Structures are given as structure tokens and as C-alpha cells.
Amino acid sequence: MLLNRSITTQFTIVFIVVLLLIVGSFYLVLESVYHSQLKAQAETVADNVDAFGSWVSQYGRVWVRDNDKSYLGQVTLVNAPDPAQGAPAADAAPPALWHFYSKNPALAQREFSEVVEKSASPAKFRVTSHNFMNPVNKPDAFEAKALDAIRSKHLAEYYEMLPDTYRYARTLYVKASCLSCHASADNAPADVKVRYGTERGFGFREGEVAGIISVRLPTRSFWSVATGVIGPVQIALLLSAFLVAILFIQFAVVRPVRRLTAAAGRISVGEQADLGVGRIARKSGNEIHQLILATERLRASLVLAIKRSRRTPPPE
Ligand code: HEC
């Protein structure tokens, strides 16, 4: 039984239990702070991706020169000399041909995400859809799950803490401006059909879920965070706290109780015992002082009773 153990042992066990409870509550607090921090970070990334898409869409498309790796439309400009400057000389070089390639917001966002993917930035992202136009944008397992949950439960966002990544998805809705390309393959611009075919990425209606901005952040396990935070100094402080508490229990409780027990033992066999009453203030709030004062009164009454019993002869 725990209650039959010494106060020092009981106190040590209580200290450990209390310590575990405090560590547990700290863990829960830290975990929720960490999660809300990760979510805020992921939201910022999604905001930036969204803002970049808006930058492209305010021009409809952006055009780049001489890079045909990934584009939607293409035009060629003839860089002819200005006729106002007069007719070109007979031996002038032929006019240069400038090839321009257009990028719509989703395509520009994909290129942006590919650059970030190769960069040192720990936060990665992509734009994906259950009905993707470009197979490169096919959702992965988390993204498919997020899209299912978002579409069936009408969520504006979805997130999950996986073993070593935090995954976040923000819903993108179909707006009227998206329909020119995503409504039906028949009405889509020719360059979209030529590059992406007519099978996927069409059939959207206004207000529906178009896809998600998917953000991926690396996370650290509790143990790696804990071992990073707890070092020899922290352990030394914890041991000092235990030492202070155990010394207090020793000097304030265990030793006075032991002394009192020894004195009470001597009193019980009629020996002299110094309870140290002289050193105690009558009104002391210390419970052990009060116990000593009560024992002193008990001793005095005992002495008196013995004296009286010696004076009166025992009844015949
Ligand atoms: C000019 C035609 C055009 C318009 C307008 C357009 N898109 Fe797209 N969208 C595309 C093309 C092309 C892709 C494929 C880009 C790539 O290669 O990654 C795409 C890709 C996407 C993707 C990524 C998944 C996939 O299909 O590959 C999402 C999500 C998306 N669009 C949503 C939208 C939304 C929402 C709007 C309106 C705000 C919109 N799109 C407007 C042409 C368009």
C-alpha cells in the first residue's frame, strides 16, 4: 500500500505523477500551437499561389518569347523595320521572327510550383483537380481524399497531419470566367483542345468545385522537437526543483515528526523528554507546531493524573 510507505517515498511518487501530468498538458498545448502554426503557414502559401494566379488572370494570359516548353497558345510576330524610317536597304537582314507563347493562370501556377519544388523552400504546392486537364496535375492519394471530402461535405479547406508532412488543401470554385475553357470541349479554345485533348478538364459548371491548391509542409516529430528543446540545463533545473521540494519535506515534515515520535515514546514510559516547546510561538500556524503543543499539554495532564493517582489510595 502506498499510504504505508514513508512520506519521502510517497512524495517522490506524487512528484513523478505530477511531472508526467504537466508534461502531458504541455505536450497538448505545444501540439495545438504547432498545428495552428502549420495551418497558418499553409494558408499563406495558398494565398500567394492564389495571388500569383490573379496576377496572370488580370492579363488573361501572360506571353513569353522563344520558349516552347509549356504553353497554351502561340503567335509569331515579324519584327520588321518601321516603315516611317523609310524603305530598308537592299542588303538589310531579313526581318526577324519572334515566337510568343501564352500561359494561362493554371499553367503559370504549375510552372511556379515546379520551380518551388526544385528550390530550397520547405513549403511545396501544386494545383490539382478530380477532373484534371493535364495528367501531370493528377491528384496524389492525399489530394484525392481531400477532393472527395471537399466535394461531398462542401468544405472550403481540408488538412491532415501525416507522419512527416502537414498537408493542406484549399478549394477552388468554378467562376464564370473559367467556363470558356472548362465548360465543354466543343466550345473550348482550339489551342486547349490541341494540347490537352477533349477528354478531361471539361464539364464544369459555375459554383462547382474546380480543384484545390494543395500545400505540403515538412513536420518534425514530438521526439525530435522534445530532444531539441530538452538539454542538460533543463534536466539539471528539473532535478534542482525535485531537490528543493524533497529538502523541504525532510526539514518541514519528516524530521519534526520523527523527533516528536521519539519524544512521545519516551513520555509513554515515564522518561523526561524535551519537546522544544520553548522555541514555538503559541499562535504558530504550522500544524506540526500545534501537534507539538498539543503533545506537551497531553504530557502535562499525564504527569498530573499520575501524581493524583499516587495521592488517593486505591479503592478497597
Ligand atoms: C484559357 C483557358 C482556361 C481558363 C479560362 C481556365 N483554365 Fe483552368 N486550365 C487550363 C489549362 C490549359 C490547364 C492545364 C494547365 C497545365 O498544363 O498544368 C488548366 C488547369 C486547371 C487546373 C489544374 C488541374 C488540371 O486540370 O490540370 C485547375 C484546378 C483549373 N484549371 C481551374 C480553373 C479555374 C478555377 C478557372 C477559372 C478561375 C480556370 N481554370 C480557367 C485552361 C484554362
Side-chain angles (χ1 to χ4, degrees):
M1 251 290 270
L2 183 62
L3 289 176
N4 287 339
R5 307 269 167 187
S6 75
I7 289 183
T8 311
T9 310
Q10 289 187 32
F11 175 78
T12 306
I13 293 170
V14 167
F15 187 91
I16 292 170
V17 169
V18 168
L19 192 71
L20 289 178
L21 290 175
I22 292 175
V23 167
S25 80
F26 259 100
Y27 171 73
L28 293 180
V29 168
L30 276 183
E31 194 181 49
S32 79
V33 169
Y34 188 44
H35 280 199
S36 63
Q37 202 47 43
L38 282 171
K39 181 157 182 275
Q41 223 176 315
E43 282 170 343
T44 306
V45 173
D47 287 342
N48 288 347
V49 175
D50 204 29
F52 177 64
S54 304
W55 175 76
V56 178
S57 63
Q58 71 184 330
Y59 309 112
R61 297 178 179 191
V62 292
W63 295 84
V64 301
R65 216 187 102 187
D66 299 337
N67 187 317
D68 61 356
K69 283 213 197 72
S70 131
Y71 65 95
L72 194 55
Q74 194 250 316
V75 292
T76 301
L77 295 186
V78 181
N79 186 20
D82 188 351
Q85 306 278 318
D91 59 347
L97 293 183
W98 283 0
H99 303 288
F100 280 92
Y101 301 90
S102 72
K103 299 177 195 283
N104 59 304
L107 194 149
Q109 281 170 325
R110 173 170 57 74
E111 290 191 7
F112 179 26
S113 89
E114 286 162 358
V115 172
V116 173
E117 194 69 44
K118 287 186 207 132
S119 78
S121 164
K124 310 291 186 196
F125 65 85
R126 62 201 292 258
V127 180
T128 173
S129 172
H130 51 286
N131 180 10
F132 51 88
M133 196 166 257
N134 187 345
V136 167
N137 299 331
K138 187 173 188 255
D140 68 15
F142 163 80
E143 289 157 346
K145 195 172 158 198
L147 280 160
D148 275 350
I150 281 171
R151 293 172 69 216
S152 62
K153 297 181 199 145
H154 307 287
L155 307 174
E157 58 181 12
Y158 180 90
Y159 44 87
E160 241 180 70
M161 187 84 174
L162 299 180
D164 46 19
T165 44
Y166 178 79
R167 304 286 310 254
Y168 174 86
R170 174 178 298 168
T171 311
L172 293 171
Y173 297 96
V174 179
K175 297 188 230 158
S177 63
C178 320
L179 297 177
S180 57
C181 296
H182 288 289
S184 77
D186 297 339
N187 300 330
D191 48 15
V192 171
K193 287 189 273 190
V194 166
R195 295 193 56 81
Y196 296 95
T198 52
E199 254 177 62
R200 283 183 309 257
F202 304 105
F204 285 102
R205 278 177 310 200
E206 200 176 339
E208 277 182 354
V209 172
I212 52 172
I213 297 176
S214 158
V215 181
R216 205 166 78 236
L217 298 171
T219 57
R220 291 168 67 198
S221 75
F222 175 70
W223 288 115
S224 81
V225 174
T227 47
V229 174
I230 298 172
V233 177
Q234 286 80 352
I235 290 176
L237 283 175
L238 203 69
L239 289 178
S240 314
F242 178 70
L243 209 67
V244 168
I246 207 90
L247 284 178
F248 170 75
I249 293 285
Q250 283 296 320
F251 285 97
V253 181
V254 175
R255 287 180 179 210
V257 167
R258 273 200 198 132
R259 251 184 270 125
L260 189 59
T261 309
R266 282 199 296 280
I267 292 167
S268 71
V269 295
E271 284 176 16
Q272 282 293 326
D274 178 20
L275 287 165
V277 173
R279 294 190 295 272
I280 297 175
R282 297 272 138 192
K283 291 210 171 115
S284 167
N286 183 324
E287 288 82 352
I288 288 178
H289 288 173
Q290 291 303 330
L291 179 60
I292 293 171
L293 291 176
T295 312
E296 168 59 20
R297 288 195 293 275
L298 188 66
R299 187 188 67 84
S301 325
L302 214 66
V303 169
L304 225 85
I306 292 170
K307 269 189 197 155
R308 254 193 230 130
S309 71
R310 281 197 188 132
R311 252 185 267 140
T312 37
E316 308 279 316

